[in-house]
Each structure stands twice: as structure tokens, then as C-alpha cells.
Amino acid sequence: MKAKMTLHKEFSIGETDKRLYGSFIEHLGRAVYTGIYEPGHPQADESGFRNDVAALVKELDVTVVRYPGGNFVSGYNWEDGVGPQDTRPVRLDLAWSAKESNCFGTNEFAAWAKKVNTEVMMAVNLGTRGSREAGNLVEYCNFSGGTYYSDLRHSHGAADPHGIKLWCLGNEMDGPWQICHRTAEEYGRIALETAKIMKWTDPSIELAACGSSFIRMPGFGDWEKTVLDHVYEYADYISLHTYFADRENDVPNFLGRSLEMDRFIKIVAGICDLVKAKKNSKKTVNLSFDEWNVWYHSNEADRKIEKWTQAPPLLEDVYTMADALAAGCMLITLLKNADRVKIACLAQLVNVIAPIMTRQSGGAWRQTIFYPFMDASRYGRGTALRCPVSVDKYDSREFCDIPYLEAVGIYNSFKNEINIFAVNRNLQEEINLAAEIAGFGDIHFTEHRALRNADLNACNTVLQENVKPEVLPGGRLDGKAGAKQLEINLPPASWNLIRMSVK
Ligand code: AHR
């Protein structure tokens, strides 16, 4: 199959915000306990943080990590997780029917984030709690000292403020599964009053209000409009969440789901702008896609897990080659909307629907979805370029006109690099891609790396990495400086990173 693409320096979508390469750690399953934190593990440092896991997180170059939930946050008392560990209460976590020991909390997470060079995105509880407690947490984390909560932090051994800039006003408050779920009116009101207190406490912070939990929620659209009507002037972002599933074992349809994700982004951006126009506001609210991934493999196993245990093995999806392609399509979709999506969190980071898995007292390994994320995070910084593609399309069970090739270009002017990310959705045939690359000066081919496996169900284990990137022979670059033609073959069912340098 043949495809054509144009890549021009001036066809800019926008600058990629570095926070597009974020992730998520929730008090859920083994994300925290026996995931990032396991005192006594041979690889644990003096704080109990696993060095093997930290090294993998650094490989991904994760720029921001959302914490402590997720559904968990809607029942969480942040005060339970600070102060001397032996006095912290064990609580029932009603979101996941588990026991929470609270051995790990805000200060431990801030210290771990520092260790792995990432920023914290902190969520506040707008389920069982409200505005005052959220404001107190901002004071605890960000105020230097001389007030009740900042001095409390000092007394807990954290002299320096954590300086947390990014905050979520609750989590998925539109979902009936949420602890103390709210109507759009109720949530809009509490989000506004909470936002005021939080920003009065620290005017430098940014806030993400809850959008719909996914595009197929019955209230989608109305929810965003009502919430933004209330909170527009205080919110900097509205959140979007999406999880893909392939329960029918229909990979062509599964890979078409990113078209819906694209539509989701465009509709939410439109609603933000509608409210902006209605309010005659100068400010633009952007998007925080703070939960995205594939999630369905573990659903059955999770139903059998015993309730009220500590750190039960919940949501431990084992990802396949097909899932890596789906994750690749999602990453490209986020980059193609880099003008509006400023934050994105792969949900989650360790053990729970995660790119990194661990064994308690044992090793850590990379799942298949690790690699597209790693490539995008390392080589997807700079200007996202609209690259029109001409390729055959197909229809699937739920979607029409799915292009066989999904692609985006990135120009990094500091590193003098042009990188293309591409997914070949054709499961049988390779794509022979001819790209016109113009406006850059002289370009040289650096490398072509691909993730592929003829078995779309192939996955990685602690013992064996069956799905990992390989360097392919490369492409041909012809033409003169300023107008080059790239010809390259993309294997069937593959994620591709094509790297070029600009001289
Ligand atoms: O990431 C797992 C869960 O998915 C989160 O707790 C929740 O926000 C979403 O429904």
C-alpha cells in the first residue's frame, strides 16, 4: 500500500507542552505499595522508593504525575497521609473496596516526584469533602511557613514548600460510580468556590476542572457547558478521560477508536470557546487529557479479587502488541491537537493499567505500551506539524473512513531534529510512504525505529521482552536542501519513529 505525506516547517499546529508526557499514580491496587514504594525491597532506597522502578520512570521521561486519584481521591482525607507514619489511620477505601494504610501520603509523593524529576499534579477531594480542606492542602503544600498548615508541614519534616503548580478540582464528578457524585450544577458551584479559595491561597497555581468521564457519558457536552458557565474565569483546563477496549477482538475497529478521541477533543475545545464567547472573556481554557490508556484485560480478574485487603492486584492489564498500536494512535491524536491539549496523563504508571510492572520482592519490567510513550516523550518535544496524509481508508464496525496511516511530525528547533511518529493500521501490508519535506534546509536521515510483532497478542513478561523496538534499515532521502523527498517502508501493524536531523 502506498501513502503520501507533506511535512512543511510552516504547517504548525502549535508547540507541544512538555506536560503532554504525564502519567498517573493513584492509591489503587499495587501502584503505590509494591509499585513505586516497597520498603525492604532489595532495590529500595532509604525512603522505601524502588530504584528499579524509578529508573524505568526516568527512561520514560515522565514530566508530570497526577496523584492521589482517581476515584480514590473522592473519599480521601489528605490529613491521614501526613505526620508520623505509625500514627496514621488505616481506612476503608470505598472507591476500590480495599484497605488504605496511609503509610504513603503527600510528603512521600512529593519526595518521590523529586527523585524521578517529575512535577506533581495534585487532585483534591470534592466528593466527601470540600473547599476548606482543599484550600488547607494548598496551604500545607505551597505556603512557606508561619501559618497553621505550613508549620504543620515543617513539623512533619518538610521544611521547603512543595511548590505544586497544577491541581485537579476533584475527579470524574459526573460519574455515578464516584463517591458523592454531583450534578453539573452542584459540581460547577463547588468547583468555583473551591477554586477561589485555592487561588486566593496561592495565586500562582493552575486548576483543571472535571469534564465528562468519557465521550459516551449521557450528559457529555451539557456537563462541560454548565460547569464552565460557573468556573470559567478560575479554571485553566477542563479534563477529558478515555480508555479503549477491544472486547470483541476486532483490532481494525479498536485502532479506529482514536478517531473518536480526536472528536472528543475537538468538541470539548469548541465548548470552551463557546463559553468564552458567551462571557466575552479574553481567557482561553485549554484541555487536560489527564487519563488515557487501554483498559479491559483485567476486568474479569478484578471481579474475583477479595475485598478489603491492602494493595490488592487490581487493574493489572497485561498489554499486547495491538494495545501498543492503540496507545500509539492515542499519542499521535494528542500531538495533532497540541494547540489545545496542554496536559495528558497516561493512566496509570506502575502496575495499575501501566507501562511498568513489578513483582513484590522481585523485578520490574516494561509492558508493550512503554515504548510508544517513551519515543513520544523523548522525541515529541518542539513544534507539532500538521502533515496531510493521502492514504486508503477503511470502515470498521463502529467507525468510518479510518486512514491506514496515522501520523504527526515534530520539529525541534533547539535540537535541529525532525521526527515523525506513525502507526500503520494495515494489519497485512506494509505502507510505502513518500513524504515531501520542505522549508527546513538540509536534512539527513538519522534512524527508523519500529515496534512490531506478527503476533498481535504478543506481550512482555518479567522474564521475556517479546515486544521491543528494533532499528530498521531506514529510508531514502533525495532532493535538494529545502525540498527533500523521503521514501520509507512502514511494516504492517507497526508503531514507527522516523528521525532526521537538520543541518
Ligand atoms: O484509572 C483508573 C480509574 O479510572 C480512575 O480512578 C478513575 O478516575 C477512572 O474511572
Side-chain angles (χ1 to χ4, degrees):
M1 173 174 286
K2 289 200 179 296
K4 281 188 183 160
M5 170 197 280
T6 310
L7 204 72
H8 195 292
K9 194 177 169 186
E10 304 304 326
F11 291 5
S12 158
I13 299 169
E15 290 303 297
T16 60
D17 192 308
K18 70 172 192 165
R19 298 167 303 172
L20 281 178
Y21 306 109
S23 189
F24 181 20
I25 286 284
E26 177 167 0
H27 281 253
L28 193 188
R30 301 192 306 114
V32 173
Y33 307 108
T34 74
I36 61 173
Y37 177 75
E38 190 178 338
H41 187 281
Q43 292 269 358
D45 67 10
E46 65 288 351
S47 306
F49 304 145
R50 282 182 63 157
N51 281 324
D52 53 348
V53 175
L56 291 174
V57 174
K58 284 190 190 163
E59 258 184 55
L60 289 175
D61 205 351
V62 179
T63 50
V64 61
V65 181
R66 190 164 170 251
Y67 174 85
N71 298 338
F72 171 80
V73 79
S74 299
Y76 184 50
N77 297 338
W78 67 264
E79 301 88 339
D80 291 344
V82 294
Q85 279 179 326
D86 54 358
T87 63
R88 297 185 194 175
V90 176
R91 299 264 189 205
L92 290 182
D93 163 19
L94 299 178
W96 300 104
S97 305
K99 271 191 202 155
E100 172 55 54
S101 70
N102 282 303
C103 289
F104 188 100
T106 301
N107 294 319
E108 287 80 19
F109 187 71
W112 177 82
K114 211 166 174 186
K115 178 182 172 87
V116 299
N117 300 326
T118 199
E119 189 187 332
V120 175
M121 182 181 202
M122 183 71 84
V124 299
N125 175 354
L126 291 187
T128 57
R129 307 190 90 197
S131 312
R132 188 65 267 165
E133 295 85 355
N136 295 345
L137 180 59
V138 176
E139 183 186 324
Y140 182 89
C141 290
N142 287 3
F143 211 79
S144 55
T147 64
Y148 179 78
Y149 284 104
S150 57
D151 286 348
L152 187 64
R153 186 194 69 241
H154 278 260
S155 77
H156 294 158
D160 292 333
H162 298 314
I164 298 170
K165 288 283 168 260
L166 208 48
W167 296 76
C168 301
L169 293 162
N171 176 70
E172 294 190 348
M173 296 308 300
D174 63 325
W177 58 86
Q178 202 64 215
I179 303 172
C180 297
H181 130 255
R182 295 176 190 270
T183 65
E185 272 295 332
E186 289 166 350
Y187 173 69
R189 286 285 308 130
I190 194 170
L192 171 64
E193 296 307 324
T194 305
K196 280 159 55 182
I197 291 184
M198 291 172 78
K199 284 202 170 176
W200 287 337
T201 306
D202 181 352
S204 73
I205 63 173
E206 290 191 316
L207 297 174
C210 291
S212 297
S213 299
F214 54 96
I215 188 175
R216 298 187 193 190
M217 285 297 287
F220 171 56
D222 290 337
W223 172 275
E224 279 74 3
K225 201 181 144 298
T226 307
V227 168
L228 286 172
D229 266 337
H230 285 286
V231 79
Y232 195 88
E233 289 306 332
Y234 282 88
D236 302 282
Y237 308 95
I238 185 128
S239 73
L240 298 85
H241 293 176
T242 280
Y243 292 100
F244 287 6
D246 181 22
R247 295 201 174 81
E248 303 77 16
N249 196 14
D250 179 354
V251 177
N253 188 66
F254 182 45
L255 299 184
R257 290 198 188 283
S258 58
L259 271 59
E260 188 175 72
M261 182 179 182
D262 186 66
R263 200 158 59 86
F264 190 15
I265 291 171
K266 297 209 159 69
I267 296 171
V268 175
I271 297 172
C272 291
D273 294 347
L274 169 82
V275 179
K276 176 180 181 173
K278 225 179 107 189
K279 291 187 177 287
N280 199 14
S281 172
K282 287 201 174 73
K283 180 182 145 193
T284 299
V285 168
N286 282 313
L287 313 191
S288 172
F289 216 119
D290 44 45
E291 288 188 33
W292 68 267
N293 202 350
V294 173
W295 173 14
Y296 72 105
H297 297 285
S298 59
N299 294 167
E300 194 54 44
D302 286 348
R303 283 190 266 276
K304 297 179 191 136
I305 285 189
E306 192 191 335
K307 291 188 172 189
W308 314 121
T309 59
Q310 292 200 24
L314 281 166
L315 278 67
E316 299 207 356
D317 275 43
V318 175
Y319 289 119
T320 64
M321 178 64 221
D323 298 327
L325 297 177
C329 290
M330 295 175 104
L331 282 160
I332 293 172
T333 305
L334 292 168
L335 288 167
K336 280 166 108 176
N337 289 286
D339 53 335
R340 296 309 293 267
V341 183
K342 300 296 171 188
I343 301 157
C345 303
L346 171 64
Q348 298 194 6
L349 185 56
V350 183
N351 288 332
V352 172
I353 42 174
I356 300 168
M357 295 299 289
T358 70
R359 283 267 156 81
Q360 181 171 8
S361 321
W365 70 100
R366 303 167 189 83
Q367 294 232 57
T368 62
I369 60 166
F370 184 98
Y371 289 109
F373 186 95
M374 181 189 79
D375 286 344
S377 173
R378 288 189 183 174
Y379 300 108
R381 317 238 179 155
T383 310
L385 299 174
R386 196 174 307 286
C387 37
V389 169
S390 149
V391 69
D392 284 353
K393 295 178 174 170
Y394 67 95
D395 291 345
S396 72
R397 203 164 32 82
E398 290 174 284
F399 308 102
C400 292
D401 288 334
I402 307 165
Y404 278 105
L405 180 64
E406 192 63 71
V408 70
I410 304 289
Y411 173 49
N412 186 323
S413 59
F414 295 105
K415 291 190 171 170
N416 288 317
E417 279 179 1
I418 306 169
N419 301 314
I420 298 174
F421 302 115
V423 170
N424 178 358
R425 289 192 178 100
N426 192 322
L427 306 184
Q428 282 81 38
E429 287 179 44
E430 75 175 10
I431 291 180
N432 174 255
L433 173 66
E436 289 287 335
I437 307 180
F440 292 100
D442 204 11
I443 299 168
H444 295 266
F445 192 84
T446 312
E447 70 168 344
H448 174 199
R449 264 198 346 234
L451 195 68
R452 61 167 172 179
N453 193 305
D455 177 7
L456 291 181
N457 290 315
C459 42
N460 296 341
T461 68
V462 67
L463 297 175
Q464 203 171 329
E465 205 168 53
N466 299 309
V467 181
K468 58 181 173 209
E470 58 186 303
V471 176
L472 296 185
R476 241 187 47 218
L477 262 177
D478 294 323
K480 289 191 288 219
K484 289 253 184 176
Q485 292 87 43
L486 167 72
E487 199 184 323
I488 195 160
N489 292 328
L490 311 177
S494 61
W495 158 264
N496 299 270
L497 163 66
I498 302 160
R499 296 179 57 213
M500 289 163 284
S501 64
V502 185
K503 299 280 177 233

